Amino acid sequence: MAARTTTPEKRPGFFSQLKTLYTFTQKEYRWLPFLLAGIVLVGIALGVLVGFLIPPLAVWSIILWGVTGLLAGILAGMITMTRLSTTAMYKKIDGMPGATGHVLSSSLGRNWQASEAPVGVNPRTQEALYRAIGRGGVVLIGEGNRSRLTRLVGEERSRVLRVAAGVPVTVLYVGHGDDEVPIAKLASTIKALPKKVDRATMAAVIKRVSSVSQGLSSLPIPKGVDPTKMRAPRPR
């Protein structure tokens, strides 16, 4: 029998993650290197300008402010690249099965609870229904053809109302049609819902709804988005 290894799994370092982020983003935005270089140069120029404007005028002061501008430019460049990577990720997963679950599980924050797995799936057409519960109530999100989601939405809505009477239930559909929400705006749309549920009620609703949700172990889960490959690092 082979001996068990106690060596912890080595995770990618900061610079390795930064390189991955840059490569991923640059594939979508070819002009990224020029943008980042421009941001850094502007930062340096502003730093040097401040060094000239703030007395006493001295070489060491100009150099110090120039270095400060360089660091500020690098920070601004990293923030810009992170935001662009998020936009690139949304563009890449838009329309892919499972994209909704990926966004719900990674972008809602602590005030919401959602799973990457759908709460309902049409085995034949792969339409899927997802659910998020938070301070804004219960949100049901349909992914796929809207007309074919009617039964799934109706069943889940009735199930939620049966155990969480009085809690607002919002239904959203992911897409680019009328009254539909683009995948890039899904998280912000959900988080913008009015907070009508306190934390104690939210915890109770999560427990009640989970207890009556149908099991999905035997249903086919939509394939398409690999979170380990598609997730862009969040801004710090």
Side-chain angles (χ1 to χ4, degrees):
M1 179 182 296
R4 290 186 178 179
T5 177
T6 58
T7 305
E9 181 182 354
K10 187 177 181 180
R11 297 185 177 181
F14 172 76
F15 290 105
S16 177
Q17 292 180 346
L18 193 63
K19 180 180 178 182
T20 301
L21 177 66
Y22 173 83
T23 302
F24 173 78
T25 310
Q26 200 264 338
K27 287 181 180 179
E28 185 67 33
Y29 303 107
R30 297 294 182 183
W31 39 261
L32 180 64
F34 305 101
L35 175 64
L36 297 181
I39 292 175
V40 172
L41 290 176
V42 169
I44 296 173
L46 289 176
V48 171
L49 179 61
V50 171
F52 273 105
L53 295 177
I54 296 181
L57 182 61
V59 175
W60 64 266
S61 177
I62 295 173
I63 294 175
L64 181 61
W65 279 107
V67 172
T68 302
L70 169 64
L71 297 176
I74 292 174
L75 178 60
M78 291 179 63
I79 293 174
T80 301
M81 185 171 64
T82 300
R83 293 182 175 178
L84 286 175
S85 71
T86 301
T87 303
M89 179 197 69
Y90 283 132
K91 290 178 66 175
K92 213 167 186 67
I93 68 176
D94 191 7
M96 295 176 64
T100 299
H102 171 61
V103 172
L104 294 179
S105 65
S106 62
S107 304
L108 287 185
R110 297 180 179 180
N111 288 330
W112 291 87
Q113 184 182 88
S115 171
E116 192 161 359
V119 296
V121 176
N122 185 324
R124 186 172 60 85
T125 63
Q126 291 293 288
E127 263 78 28
L129 180 68
Y130 296 83
R131 182 184 64 224
I133 302 175
R135 301 290 302 280
V138 180
V139 183
L140 304 179
I141 307 99
E143 179 184 83
N145 186 282
R146 188 166 180 167
S147 61
R148 291 198 292 260
L149 283 163
T150 303
R151 183 181 62 81
L152 285 175
V153 171
E155 290 177 352
E156 186 64 22
R157 187 187 185 106
S158 299
R159 190 178 296 115
V160 170
L161 292 175
R162 189 167 64 249
V163 297
V167 176
V169 178
T170 304
V171 179
L172 301 175
Y173 294 92
V174 175
H176 297 279
D178 295 336
D179 298 324
E180 293 181 341
V181 181
I183 192 69
K185 296 182 179 179
L186 178 60
S188 60
T189 299
I190 294 176
K191 289 190 286 188
L193 292 173
K195 294 181 174 63
K196 296 184 178 181
V197 178
D198 57 42
R199 294 189 182 278
T201 303
M202 172 182 162
V205 170
I206 291 173
K207 188 173 181 179
R208 292 173 188 171
V209 173
S210 298
S211 67
V212 298
S213 292
Q214 71 179 79
L216 291 175
S217 57
S218 61
L219 294 179
I221 304 301
K223 306 295 183 180
V225 174
D226 183 349
T228 62
K229 296 181 180 178
M230 299 302 303
R231 182 174 289 120
R234 300 178 186 177
R236 298 293 182 186

